[in-house]
Amino acid sequence: MAVKNIIRSLVNRALLVKQLTPEIEEEINLALTVQGYISDAEYEALEYLMKAMDEGKVRLTAS
């Protein structure tokens, strides 16, 4: 998987399972650390995920 698409892929995974698991969150944080920046598309994907969480469509799960 290309590094530039990993965050969007992880957001899609969270949206599909309707939960942000600690594993997905950790992978997103790792990808952000490795990249050192965030593209506009990745930023929009993360914004969409946060909006879905605010609306109750995606829930944050505990470890």
Side-chain angles (χ1 to χ4, degrees), residues 2-33:
V3 172
K4 67 180 183 177
N5 293 323
I6 193 153
I7 293 173
R8 289 175 58 197
S9 176
L10 292 165
V11 167
N12 284 336
R13 187 182 339 161
L15 293 170
L16 284 173
V17 297
K18 298 183 179 174
Q19 52 185 316
L20 180 59
T21 64
E23 294 80 16
I24 294 173
E25 186 175 11
E26 185 177 322
E27 288 182 48
I28 289 172
N29 289 333
L30 179 62
L32 289 170
T33 301

Side-chain angles (χ1 to χ4, degrees), residues 21-48:
T21 64
E23 294 80 16
I24 294 173
E25 186 175 11
E26 185 177 322
E27 288 182 48
I28 289 172
N29 289 333
L30 179 62
L32 289 170
T33 301
V34 169
Q35 284 181 210
Y37 69 94
I38 185 167
S39 70
D40 289 342
E42 293 167 326
Y43 184 82
E44 289 174 7
L46 289 172
E47 275 189 324
Y48 187 81

